[in-house]
Amino acid sequence: MATPTLSIGGLKTWFFTDSGPVKAVDGVSFSVMPGEILGLVGESGSGKSITGFSIMGLIDPPGRVVEGSIVFKGEELRGRSDAAMRTLRGNRIAMIFQDPMMTLNPVLRIDVQMVEAVLAHRKMTRSQALALAHSALERVGIAAPGERLRAYPHQMSGGMRQRVAIAIALLNEPDLIIADEPTTALDVTIQGQILFEMQKICAESGTSLIWITHDLSVVAGLADAVGVMYGGRMVEHGTVAQVLESPRHPYTQGLIASVPQLEARGQPLRQIPGAYSPLVNVSGCAFAPRCERALPVCQTEPQLAATADGRLLRCHNPV
Amino acid sequence: MSTYLLSRIGQGLMLVLIMSLLVFLGLFAIGNPVDMFVNPQADQAEIARTTAALGLDKPLWEQYGQFVRKAIKGDLGQSFVHGASALQLILDRLPATLELALVAITIAIVFGIPLGLWAGLKPDTFVGRFIMGGSIIGFSLPTFWVGLMLIMVFAVHLQWLPASGRAVTESVLGVQTSLASLDGWRHVLLPALNLALFKLSLIVRLTRSGTREALTQDYVRFARAKGLTGRRIVGVHVLKNVLVPIITVIGMEFGSLLAFSVVTETVFAWPGMGKLLIDSITQLDRPVVVAYLMFVVVLYVAINFVSDLAYSLLDPRVRLGGAAR
Amino acid sequence: MSAPTSLAGFVSAYRKSTSATLAAIVLLLILAAALLAPVLSPQDPYDLAQLDLLDARLPPGSPSGDGTRQYLLGTDAQGRDMVSAILYGLRTSLVVGVCATLCAVAIGIVVGLVAGYFGGRFDALLMRIVDMQLSFPAILVALILIAILGQGVGKVITALVAAQWAYYARTIRGVVLVESQREYIAATRVLALPVTSVLFRHLLPNCMPALIVVGALQVASAIALEATLSFLGVGLPITEPSLGLLIANGFTYLLSGKYWISFFPGLALLVTIMSINLVADQLRDVLNPRLRVD
C-alpha cells in the first residue's frame, strides 16, 4: 500500500487559559493518501480549523499540541523546530484560509505577495518567480493575469481573491493542501466553480487535499473520504459513500437528516436537539447529552475504533 | 481624486476665513480696537486721530473687509514694541522655530518607531514594558518641567551642554541655519529633546498598538503559512500597515509641534516665533499676536492638507478607490 | 470582559493593577493635603507679615534665622517656606483644574447630547466646529483666548474650558450615536417622552463611564495646561500662585544651583499629574475595556 501523504494519530491540541484548559482538539486520527480529497466536517467549535493549524505548526501560546503524532510523508512533524516547519509551510504543505480579504495584505500588490511565496523556498530570479505566478493565476481560471498581478486585493471581488489564494497555495506544487472553509464567504455559483477547479487540480497533480467545512453538500460533491468531528474529537471517518449514505454515528445521522430536502415541503425542519457548549469539558462521550441513543455506558469516553467495513467510529451505541 | 483635493483645499480656505473672522471679532469687537493700532500709552488726541484715520468708527463689516484686504497683501499691522511690520517679525523668527521643530520631529520618528515596534512585538518582556511605562511618563510630564530638568541635569550639574540660546547661524544653500556647526548642534540638542519627548511618547504608543493590531490580522497568519521568515513578515507586511496611519499622524503632529515650541523656546531662550508670541502677549503688542495667529492658522491648514495628501498617496485603498465588494 | 456592575466588583477589578492602586492612594493623600493646606502648612505663605526676607533662598533643611522653625524644603526668593508655598499652590492648581474641567464637561455634555441625538445637519455643523477646534493643540487655543481676553483667574479658566470642551463633546456624541440605536431609546420615542427627559435621564447615565474616564484624564491635562500657562507668565496672577508660577519664580535660580525653588513644586506637579493619569488609565481599563489602547 502506498504511503499516506499525511497520517494523524490521536492528536490533542489544548489551550491553557486562566479558567482551565480548553480542549479544542481532543482525539483526532485520520490519513490522507496522495491525490485523495478528505472532507473534514463539523459545526463551529468542533475543532476542525485548529486541527488544520496544528498540522501546520501554527498553534501559538496559550495553545499547544499536547499529544499525538503528525506524520507527513513518513516523517514526524511534532517536535520539529519552527525553522524546520517553515521550510515545509507554503512549500510542501499549503493552507488556504476562509476570508480572502483579510488573508491578503491590503497594502501590498498581488505580485509582491505571490513572488515572496516562491522566493521564500526556491532560488530564482524575480522575473522567473513572476512567470510562475502568472501561470498559477491562469491555472485557477483568472483572466488577464498580468493586470491582476499589478493590482491590490481590494480591487478584486471575493471570488477572485480566493482564486488568488488558491494560486498562492499551488505555487510551489505542495503535496498537501489544507483548505479551511475557503468557500463559506462566497456565492454558491462561485463556490461551485472553485470546487470543480480544485478537484481537477488534485486529480492532475496528485496533491492531497483536506477540505474543512460545515457544509455537507460541499463534501458530497467534492470529496473521496469524509471525517466528522464533534467536540474536538473525530467521531466517524469513512468513504463518502459509506458515511453519507449509511451513517453509523448518531451525530452524523442527525447532520444528514437535518439537511433540508426538496421533497419534504411544509414539514418542520429536523434538527439535533440542544447545542454544543465547548467550555463544558465533559467526561465520556461529548455528544451524549444530545443523543437519542445514549446509554449509561456513554458516560465513559468511547474510543475511535475500526469497524468491519473499514471505517473509524467513536460510539458505544452506533446506528 | 482631484475632487477630493479640491474639496480639501476649499475646506482649508474656509478654516482660514473663519479664523480671520474670529480673530477680527475677538480683537475688534471684544477688545478695544484702538489698542490694535495705537500704543495704549498714547494720549487722547493721538487716539482720536488714529481712530478717525483708520476708519475705526466705520461699521464692523467694513472694517472686516479692510482687515482682510490688508491681510492678503501681508500687512497685519505694525508692532508697538519693535516698530516693524508684525508679519515680517514673525517671518524673521520662523527659521529658528523650523530648525528646532525639524530636529525634534526627526528625533521623535527615528527613536519612536523602532521603540514602538519592539514594544509591540515583545510586549511582555522587561524591555517592552519599560518602553511602554516610559512612554506614559513622557506623555504626562509637562513640557516646561522636562525642559527645566534637562537644564538642571545637563547644563548645570554635568555641564555638558549649554543651558540656552541658539548658536550663530551660517548660510547653507541660501538658508540661515545653525546646524552646520558642532556648536549649533550642542545648542539645539536639549531644546529639541524637550520638544520631541511628548511626540516621541505618542509615536511609541501608536506604533505599539498598530503593531499589536497588525499581528492579530489574518494576513500575518497567512504569511506564516506561506513559510515566510519572521523578519520579512515584520519588516514588510506589518511595518507597511503600521506606517501608513502613523505617517499621517506625524504630519498633523508637526503642526502642533510648532505650537508647543512656545514653551520650549521660552525655557531655553530660543529665538523663535513662540518666544515672540509670549513676549507680545505680556507686552500687549496686539498686532504681533494677530499676525502670529493668522500665520499659524495658514501654516496649520497647509500642513494638514499636505499630510492628507500623503495619506491618500500611501494607502492604496484610498488612492485607487476600487471595485471592492 | 465587560464592565463590573457592582461597587465591590469595581473595586476588586481596579485593584488588579498595583501601580494604579498606589496611584489612587497617592492621589487621595494629595487631595487631602490640598484641602487641609491652611491647617497643614507651617506658615501662611501669602501673609507678608509672616515672611522674613533674611531667610530667603535657604537650602532644604535649614533652620530659620530666629531658630523657631526648620525649612524642610528650603525657602524661595521672598523667604517663603517651600512646604507652605507648595501646599497652597497645589490647592490652587487643583481647584482651577477641576473647575475648568467641570465647566468644560457641562458644555461638552450639552453639545454632545444634542448633536448625537438630533443628528442631521445640526450634528454635522457642530462636529465640524469640534473637529476644527480639536485640530489645534490645546495650548494654542488657550493662548489665543488669553491674548484676546487678557489675564486673570476667570479668563484663565475660560481659556482652559475653551481648550477642553470639544473633547468631551466628541466623546459624548460618540456614545450617544451608539446608544441611539438601542431599543430603549426607540421606546422613549414611542412613549413620546419629552426630549430633555430622554437626554438627561436616559442617555446621559449611559455616557457616565466614558465621561468619567475622559474627565479624569483631562483633569490632569487641565492642570498641566494651567501650569504651563502660569509658567509662561500668562496664567494665574501672582496673588493666587499655582504650582506653575512657583516653578517660574524659581527658574532664574536654577542656573546658580538653587534648584529647590523650582524642583520641589515641579515634583509636586509631576506626582499629581502622573497619579491622576495612572488612576484614569485603570478606570478606563475597568469601566470600558473597548477603549483600551492595547
Side-chain angles (χ1 to χ4, degrees), chain A residues 53 56 58 60 86 89-90 95 97 102-108 112-113 116-117 120-121 152 154-155 158 168 185-186, chain B residues 217-219 221-222 224-230 232 236-238 240-241 244 315-317 319-325:
Chain A
F53 289 124
M56 296 283 281
L58 286 178
D60 293 326
R86 237 191 297 128
R89 288 185 212 132
M95 195 157 182
F97 290 27
M102 282 325 289
T103 56
L104 295 174
N105 194 330
V107 300
L108 295 175
V112 169
Q113 303 193 49
E116 68 181 357
H121 299 285
Y152 285 89
H154 70 275
Q155 292 175 296
I168 294 180
L186 303 175
Chain B
Q217 296 295 315
D218 264 358
Y219 60 78
R221 217 173 202 182
F222 189 57
R224 289 177 69 196
K226 287 197 284 193
L228 302 179
T229 60
R232 181 163 174 103
V236 174
H237 287 256
V238 170
K240 190 135 192 241
N241 271 277
V244 171
D315 187 333
R317 288 169 285 193
R319 174 164 37 120
L320 299 168
R325 72 137 162 129

Side-chain angles (χ1 to χ4, degrees), chain B residues 27-28 31-56 70 76-81 283-288:
Chain B
L27 280 146
F28 282 74
N32 188 344
V34 184
D35 290 341
M36 267 293 297
F37 300 98
V38 179
N39 200 320
Q41 266 101 43
D43 61 45
Q44 279 298 105
E46 175 81 22
I47 293 178
R49 220 172 349 114
T50 321
T51 311
L54 291 168
L56 287 169
K70 284 170 121 180
L76 286 161
Q78 305 277 93
S79 156
F80 298 145
V81 177
Q283 292 165 340
L284 294 175
D285 194 356
R286 299 255 178 129
V288 177

Side-chain angles (χ1 to χ4, degrees), chain B residues 11 15 19 26 140-142 144-145 148-149 152 156 163 208-209 212 256 259 263 266-267 278 281 289 293 296 300, chain C residues 128 132 135 137 139-140 144 147-148 227-228 231-232 234 247 251 254-255 259 263 266-267 270 273 277 293-294:
Chain B
Q11 280 177 20
L15 190 60
M19 193 60 206
S140 340
L141 296 179
F144 71 93
W145 193 86
L148 286 183
M149 288 301 107
M152 223 174 81
V156 178
R208 175 190 189 254
S209 62
R212 299 263 289 156
S256 88
V263 179
T266 307
V267 173
I278 297 292
I281 293 181
V289 175
L293 291 178
V296 162
Y300 237 72
Chain C
R128 256 294 147 74
M132 262 184 0
S135 65
I139 185 164
L140 201 58
I144 291 175
I148 295 178
T228 306
F231 175 80
L232 291 173
V234 295
I247 299 174
F251 184 32
L254 257 189
L255 297 173
Y259 66 93
F263 182 68
L267 205 60
L270 192 70
I273 293 180
N277 272 337
V293 170
D294 195 313

Side-chain angles (χ1 to χ4, degrees), chain A residues 97-133:
Chain A
F97 290 27
Q98 181 175 343
D99 180 2
M101 184 64 234
M102 282 325 289
T103 56
L104 295 174
N105 194 330
V107 300
L108 295 175
R109 285 204 329 214
I110 301 289
D111 54 0
V112 169
Q113 303 193 49
M114 292 188 80
V115 163
E116 68 181 357
V118 177
L119 293 181
H121 299 285
R122 292 188 269 175
K123 267 184 116 57
M124 63 175 74
T125 68
R126 197 175 167 274
S127 39
Q128 287 172 325
L130 209 53
L132 270 180

Side-chain angles (χ1 to χ4, degrees), chain A residues 8-317:
Chain A
I8 312 258
L11 181 66
K12 294 192 186 189
T13 303
W14 293 1
F15 286 80
F16 296 89
T17 67
D18 289 335
S19 24
V22 175
K23 302 181 183 173
V25 175
D26 198 30
V28 169
S29 309
F30 61 81
S31 334
V32 190
M33 305 303 286
E36 184 185 4
I37 302 182
L38 168 72
L40 203 56
V41 179
E43 48 190 64
S44 320
S46 56
K48 6 184 246 302
S49 299
I50 306 286
T51 305
F53 289 124
S54 305
I55 299 171
M56 296 283 281
L58 286 178
I59 301 290
D60 293 326
R64 211 179 67 220
V65 176
V66 297
E67 211 183 283
S69 74
I70 305 173
V71 179
F72 176 67
K73 290 173 70 173
E75 293 197 37
E76 174 66 57
L77 292 187
R78 251 196 92 203
R80 275 207 174 184
S81 69
D82 195 58
M85 285 304 293
R86 237 191 297 128
T87 57
L88 289 177
R89 288 185 212 132
N91 191 12
R92 312 265 41 88
I93 312 178
M95 195 157 182
I96 303 171
F97 290 27
Q98 181 175 343
D99 180 2
M101 184 64 234
M102 282 325 289
T103 56
L104 295 174
N105 194 330
V107 300
L108 295 175
R109 285 204 329 214
I110 301 289
D111 54 0
V112 169
Q113 303 193 49
M114 292 188 80
V115 163
E116 68 181 357
V118 177
L119 293 181
H121 299 285
R122 292 188 269 175
K123 267 184 116 57
M124 63 175 74
T125 68
R126 197 175 167 274
S127 39
Q128 287 172 325
L130 209 53
L132 270 180
H134 197 276
S135 55
L137 287 182
E138 277 174 351
R139 215 170 145 206
V140 293
I142 291 184
E147 275 171 36
R148 300 290 167 216
L149 281 174
R150 283 191 299 275
Y152 285 89
H154 70 275
Q155 292 175 296
M156 309 166 113
S157 67
M160 197 159 310
R161 289 195 290 260
Q162 200 58 298
R163 286 177 207 238
V164 170
I166 296 172
I168 294 180
L170 295 174
L171 277 171
N172 292 314
E173 284 157 48
D175 302 307
L176 171 66
I177 298 180
I178 305 174
D180 187 1
E181 305 211 45
T183 54
T184 308
L186 303 175
D187 296 336
V188 170
T189 35
I190 312 266
Q191 180 176 279
Q193 290 170 9
I194 291 185
L195 287 176
F196 176 70
E197 271 152 28
M198 291 302 297
Q199 228 171 9
K200 209 168 60 150
I201 288 168
C202 288
E204 282 170 358
S205 55
T207 310
S208 309
L209 174 64
I210 299 178
W211 190 279
I212 300 175
T213 179
H214 61 266
D215 188 345
L216 272 177
S217 52
V218 164
V219 169
L222 172 72
D224 305 313
V226 178
V228 180
M229 285 186 63
Y230 186 83
R233 299 175 183 148
M234 173 80 68
V235 296
E236 185 164 6
H237 177 282
T239 66
V240 164
Q242 282 175 331
V243 176
L244 293 188
E245 281 163 35
S246 46
R248 294 201 61 200
H249 194 282
Y251 175 63
T252 318
Q253 196 186 43
L255 262 187
I256 294 172
S258 64
V259 173
Q261 302 293 326
L262 267 181
E263 303 85 49
R265 275 174 62 178
Q267 304 231 355
L269 291 176
R270 300 189 54 189
Q271 23 168 324
I272 307 174
Y276 175 63
S277 166
L279 291 179
V280 177
N281 280 311
V282 150
S283 62
C285 175
F287 187 62
R290 301 167 71 183
C291 184
E292 295 172 332
R293 302 173 55 83
L295 302 173
V297 68
C298 297
Q299 295 305 309
T300 61
E301 186 182 330
Q303 296 304 310
L304 197 59
T307 63
D309 54 356
R311 296 187 218 206
L312 291 173
L313 192 58
R314 187 194 293 267
C315 187
H316 287 303
N317 190 14

